[in-house]
Amino acid sequence: MPGSFKSLSSRLVREPAAAPAPSRRWACRCGQAIFFVNSRCLACEAALGYIPSEGIVSSLSGPDANHCWQGDASAGAKLYRRCANLDTPAACNWLVPAGDPNPLCQACRLNHTIPDLSVPENSGYWLKVETAKRRMVAQLVGLGLAVIPKAEDEPNGLSFDFIGTDTAGNAPTTGHANGLITLDIKEADDAHREQVRKNLREPYRTLLGHFRHEVGHYYWDRLIAGSTWLEPFRALFGNEQASYADALEQHYQHGAPADWAEHYVSAYATMHPWEDWAETWAHYLHMMDAVDTALGFGMSGHDTGLDYVSYPLSTLYAPEHETGPAFLTFINAWIELAGMLNELSRAMGQPDFYPFVLPPAVVAKLHFIHLVVQQAGGRADEIIEEAEAVAQADQA
C-alpha cells in the first residue's frame, strides 16, 4: 500500500501540533469515509477510483465525451479513465491516466492468464485474488519499487497466471519462475486454503501472504542476484547455490530443525536460502503495511501497557547505519501493535492476528531487506521515520 517509511515513523509520534496526514483515511467530496477497495460512495453515489501514482482514493466527476473522469483537487484534478476490468468479476477500481493508451490499470496489466470464467465459482475467486494482488501492488509502488509488466519487458518484468486444475485433473503449483508468478485459483476458496494450511501445519496462510512471498522471489532476482548485495545475502541467509531440489526433498522428508525458531521466521524458511528470503520479505511487507494502516487510523500499541523487552540496536544487520535507530523503533512498535491485535483477535475467538515470534536473527534479516528496499525504491525510510516520530511523541 502507499505510504513511506518517513510518513510512518512520523505518525507513530503523534505530535499534536503538526500531525501528518494519514495515508489510509480518505474522504469522498461529500465527506463520507472511503476505503481502498471502494469504487462508489455509499452516501452520495459518486464514482471513486484509486490513483496508484498518488496513493489515494479520489471521488470522480464525469465522464466527459472521451469517457474520462476528473479527480478531486486532492488528486490534482487530473483526468483519468477507469480500468477496463471495473465491470468484470475483478471489479477493479483503479484509474488509468487519460493519456495512457492501455485500457488496463497498472495492476491489471500484470495479468498473463486469468481464471477460466466458464467455471462458475471462478468469478468469485478472481475477485478475491485481484483484491489481494492490488493491495500488494499498491504497497510495492508506495515503496518506490519498479513494477513492470512482462508485456513491456519480458526478461525483467512481472506477470501472473491465475489458473485451476487442468483437464487431466492436475492442480497447478503456486510458485515463481523468471518473473511469472503462478497461483492456484483454489487458494481463493477459504475452505480449501484452510485445509491446506492444516495439512502443512502452517500458522498462517492467506492470498495476500502468497503474493508477498512469491513476489519476494521476483525481487531477489531483480535486487540481489548479480548485485553487490549478493555476498552479504549469502553471509546472512546462506548460499543459494545449494541444490534447491535436494533441500526441498530434505524439508518434506524430515521437516525443519528443532531449533528453527531461533533463526528463522517460519519453519518453511529453513528449507533453502531463497525461501528464507521470500518468507522474511513477506513478513517485512506484512509489518510495513499493518503498521502504516494502524497509524493511518490513529492506532498504536504504545499506550497498551504491554511490557515487552525492546530489541537493542546491536540486533540489527547494520547497527551503525544512520537509519538503524528508526528501524529499531519500527520493529519495537510492531511487536507492541501485534500484541494488542493478537488480544483483540482472541477476544473474538479468532486465531492470533500475528502468530509468529521474531528472534534477533530474523530482526537482522528484516533490517537487511529494508536496506535493500530503500536503496532500490527510495521510499521505505519514510515509513520507518514516521513510526519513530510517533514513538518519540508517546514518550514526551
Side-chain angles (χ1 to χ4, degrees):
M1 282 290 291
S4 58
F5 216 48
K6 183 174 184 177
S7 60
L8 193 67
S9 44
S10 61
R11 286 208 310 278
L12 274 176
V13 182
R14 294 184 307 185
E15 295 177 330
S23 64
R24 303 305 178 84
R25 257 187 288 177
W26 301 296
C28 177
R29 66 170 69 99
C30 73
Q32 174 72 26
I34 54 179
F35 300 94
F36 180 65
V37 298
N38 293 155
S39 58
R40 185 166 294 279
C41 176
L42 297 179
C44 70
E45 296 295 314
L48 306 173
Y50 179 73
I51 307 172
S53 61
E54 304 295 329
I56 63 173
V57 176
S58 172
S59 46
L60 304 171
S61 300
D64 62 15
N66 295 316
H67 306 287
C68 291
W69 300 73
Q70 186 176 43
D72 285 343
S74 61
K78 298 177 182 177
L79 292 177
Y80 298 92
R81 288 179 289 103
R82 308 190 83 177
C83 178
N85 274 337
L86 172 66
D87 296 322
T88 70
C92 182
N93 69 331
W94 283 32
L95 300 176
V96 183
D100 188 336
N102 195 319
L104 297 174
C105 71
Q106 185 175 9
C108 287
R109 64 186 66 175
L110 297 172
N111 291 346
H112 178 255
T113 305
I114 66 170
D116 180 359
L117 298 182
S118 69
V119 179
E121 60 267 26
N122 279 357
S123 291
Y125 292 164
W126 191 28
L127 173 59
K128 290 182 178 181
V129 165
E130 290 292 342
T131 300
K133 189 195 78 180
R134 287 194 290 268
R135 188 171 189 95
M136 179 198 68
V137 172
Q139 183 183 23
L140 298 175
V141 172
L143 289 169
L145 295 174
V147 183
I148 305 170
K150 268 191 169 295
E152 298 176 10
D153 185 349
E154 173 59 33
N156 301 304
L158 177 66
S159 64
F160 294 88
D161 277 350
F162 302 134
I163 55 180
T165 302
D166 64 21
T167 55
N170 301 311
T173 299
T174 294
H176 165 267
N178 301 319
L180 176 63
I181 292 175
T182 300
L183 182 74
D184 182 355
I185 195 64
K186 284 286 285 183
E187 287 288 340
D189 183 326
D190 295 339
H192 169 82
R193 190 177 62 255
E194 176 63 11
Q195 188 59 55
V196 174
R197 187 192 68 79
K198 289 181 178 179
N199 291 344
L200 296 179
R201 299 180 180 178
E202 296 175 341
Y204 172 93
R205 188 181 183 93
T206 66
L207 281 173
L208 187 54
H210 275 306
F211 279 120
R212 287 173 171 163
H213 174 99
E214 298 303 340
V215 86
H217 288 299
Y218 167 74
Y219 281 107
W220 190 93
D221 289 346
R222 299 281 75 79
L223 306 179
I224 303 297
S227 77
T228 56
W229 290 110
L230 183 57
E231 290 307 318
F233 165 85
R234 289 172 176 169
L236 192 60
F237 290 85
N239 191 341
E240 85 291 347
Q241 295 174 315
S243 170
Y244 188 87
D246 291 347
L248 187 67
E249 182 178 3
Q250 168 73 17
H251 179 77
Y252 282 111
Q253 283 192 358
H254 303 288
D259 64 347
W260 69 265
E262 299 178 17
H263 308 282
Y264 300 90
V265 74
S266 69
Y268 188 65
T270 68
M271 199 265 282
H272 188 275
W274 280 335
E275 299 304 339
D276 190 12
W277 163 272
E279 284 285 273
T280 311
W281 172 281
H283 279 255
Y284 173 79
L285 295 186
H286 289 331
M287 295 160 61
M288 291 283 275
D289 198 13
V291 173
D292 192 18
T293 300
L295 293 175
F297 287 94
M299 296 176 60
S300 170
H302 289 297
D303 297 330
T304 62
L306 296 173
D307 189 18
Y308 289 113
V309 177
S310 298
Y311 293 101
L313 192 62
S314 59
T315 308
L316 301 182
Y317 167 73
E320 74 288 350
H321 195 277
E322 61 181 357
T323 62
F327 185 81
L328 193 65
T329 298
F330 165 76
I331 289 291
N332 289 323
W334 164 251
I335 297 301
E336 294 169 338
L337 178 65
M340 177 182 71
L341 294 175
N342 281 345
E343 285 301 311
L344 287 173
S345 294
R346 294 163 191 165
M348 292 295 294
Q350 295 294 322
D352 280 0
F353 169 84
Y354 188 71
F356 302 93
V357 175
L358 299 178
V362 171
V363 174
K365 293 172 183 177
L366 289 165
H367 189 217
F368 177 87
I369 287 175
H370 175 69
L371 295 176
V372 172
V373 171
Q374 172 60 23
Q375 183 184 83
R379 299 184 64 185
D381 274 346
E382 297 176 22
I383 301 176
I384 298 299
E385 290 166 10
E386 193 174 341
E388 184 185 36
V390 173
Q392 291 173 350
D394 283 339
Q395 295 169 3

